[in-house]
Amino acid sequence: MKSYDFYISAPLFNEMELKFNRELAAFLEKHGFTTYLPQRDGGEDEMLLKDPDLWPETSKRVFNRDVDALKSSSALIMVMDGRVPDEGACVELGMAYAFGKICIGFQTDNRRFASGQNNLMLDYCMSYDIVHDWNGLEVLLGKLKEKINR
């Protein structure tokens, strides 16, 4: 399995989310990091998930491939935008935390869980403070260059 610097964990259910995810991957790559973006690197199986007859076999294959990519990544960056973070991204964050990966939160949306805060189970999985804009992400990436296994 190929190794990656970053696994990008994000919702991918509409064109706006897909576009933002592509922009995030390009941003990370511009800064010299390799990325695994499930919507891009997941292969043809993503398309097959639309066929109910193929769902059980295909969904298990997609799950296993994404878990393998997460295991072979040095860090996870989770897009936390939305009224609540995507449930699949939350599971990926939990796995990354359990695997001992560097976990980064990227939240450009100011909507929060309760009293202006995120759920503490998300916040305390993060290796650093959650980044809220592209400039903050760029600064954090500069600090991570030495820590990310290459």
Side-chain angles (χ1 to χ4, degrees), residues 104-105 128-129 131 135-145:
I104 306 296
Y128 301 89
D129 288 338
V131 179
N135 290 333
L137 181 57
E138 187 167 34
V139 169
L140 181 55
L141 292 176
K143 294 176 185 176
L144 288 176
K145 286 239 184 228

Side-chain angles (χ1 to χ4, degrees), residues 54-71:
L54 300 174
W55 175 259
E57 179 185 329
T58 305
S59 62
K60 184 68 170 176
R61 199 167 46 236
V62 168
F63 173 82
N64 287 332
R65 185 184 44 245
D66 288 351
V67 170
D68 287 344
L70 182 54
K71 286 180 181 177

Side-chain angles (χ1 to χ4, degrees), residues 32-52:
F33 296 98
T34 59
T35 63
Y36 179 85
L37 179 61
Q39 74 194 48
R40 176 191 66 202
D41 303 317
E44 298 296 317
D45 287 340
E46 300 290 338
M47 302 295 235
L48 296 175
L49 287 174
K50 295 180 191 306
D51 184 341

Side-chain angles (χ1 to χ4, degrees), residues 58-126:
T58 305
S59 62
K60 184 68 170 176
R61 199 167 46 236
V62 168
F63 173 82
N64 287 332
R65 185 184 44 245
D66 288 351
V67 170
D68 287 344
L70 182 54
K71 286 180 181 177
S72 70
S73 296
S74 296
L76 169 136
I77 185 164
M78 178 185 179
V79 175
M80 300 176 70
D81 290 346
R83 192 182 60 75
V84 294
D86 177 73
E87 60 271 11
C90 290
V91 171
E92 291 167 335
L93 173 64
M95 283 189 220
Y97 179 82
F99 294 152
K101 306 297 181 179
I102 294 170
C103 297
I104 306 296
F106 189 39
Q107 187 172 36
T108 65
D109 189 335
N110 65 6
R111 292 174 282 181
R112 302 288 187 279
F113 173 63
S115 305
Q117 303 298 312
N118 291 305
N119 183 298
L120 63 94
M121 297 304 287
L122 300 177
D123 284 349
Y124 288 107
C125 283
M126 299 303 170

Side-chain angles (χ1 to χ4, degrees), residues 8 20-30 35 37 40:
I8 300 173
F20 187 85
N21 300 345
R22 288 188 300 268
E23 289 172 2
L24 177 56
F27 187 83
L28 293 167
E29 291 161 3
K30 180 183 94 172
T35 63
L37 179 61
R40 176 191 66 202

